[in-house]
Amino acid sequence: MRRAVVLPATLLLLACQAKAEAEAPPPPPPPALTLAALAGNWESVSRLEGVPDSVISRFSGPAAETGWLLLVPDRDPIPMRVWIQDDSMIAVTEKYPSLLRPGVMVQVRTSGVLVDSVLQGILLATYDSSAGQQGGRGTFRARRVAA
């Protein structure tokens, strides 16, 4: 009787051990996102909810939180502050005259992640108008470009 219990228990232990050895370790996490990895020039296509046209712009900056600029055709460069939070690049512009709402100042905040060399994410636009602040939401995709 004792043999009948020991043999199945031994087989069970061997089966569990073989399974544990066969499992592959999880892949290592991707390298942490850094400002150095994002420094340079990017071309961005932004789409705001409820707006039929896309906004094409460029942004560029060094491997630091300051010194970043949003570049829009026929406009002065717009300073941005940029930092890394977890796996995301966060950027906040200074207020500037809106491209989509004449006579209104806007501040844009973005949060993007780098996926296969494309920076993509969400944007929030805060418009200052005579009726008070209004918000707009959208998305953006940016690719690295030559200077």
Side-chain angles (χ1 to χ4, degrees), residues 1 8-9 13 16 22 35 37 46 48 56 65 72-73 78 80 83 93-94 100 109-110 118-119 131 140-142 145:
M1 174 74 168
L13 285 173
C16 289
L35 286 174
S46 300
L48 286 153
I56 299 174
E65 290 186 6
V72 180
I78 302 156
M80 299 191 312
W83 66 93
T93 68
E94 290 186 0
L100 303 174
R109 296 166 180 83
T110 64
V118 175
L119 187 62
F140 75 94
R141 291 179 54 87
V145 294

Side-chain angles (χ1 to χ4, degrees), residues 4-73:
V5 171
V6 172
L7 185 58
T10 303
L11 291 174
L12 180 62
L13 285 173
L14 289 174
C16 289
Q17 182 179 9
K19 182 179 179 188
E21 290 175 3
E23 290 181 18
L33 187 62
T34 64
L35 286 174
L38 296 170
N41 301 294
W42 297 80
E43 184 170 85
S44 177
V45 177
S46 300
R47 291 179 177 83
L48 286 153
E49 293 175 359
V51 177
D53 296 326
S54 299
V55 175
I56 299 174
S57 61
R58 287 187 176 221
F59 60 92
S60 63
E65 290 186 6
T66 59
W68 285 80
L69 296 173
L70 175 62
L71 307 167
V72 180

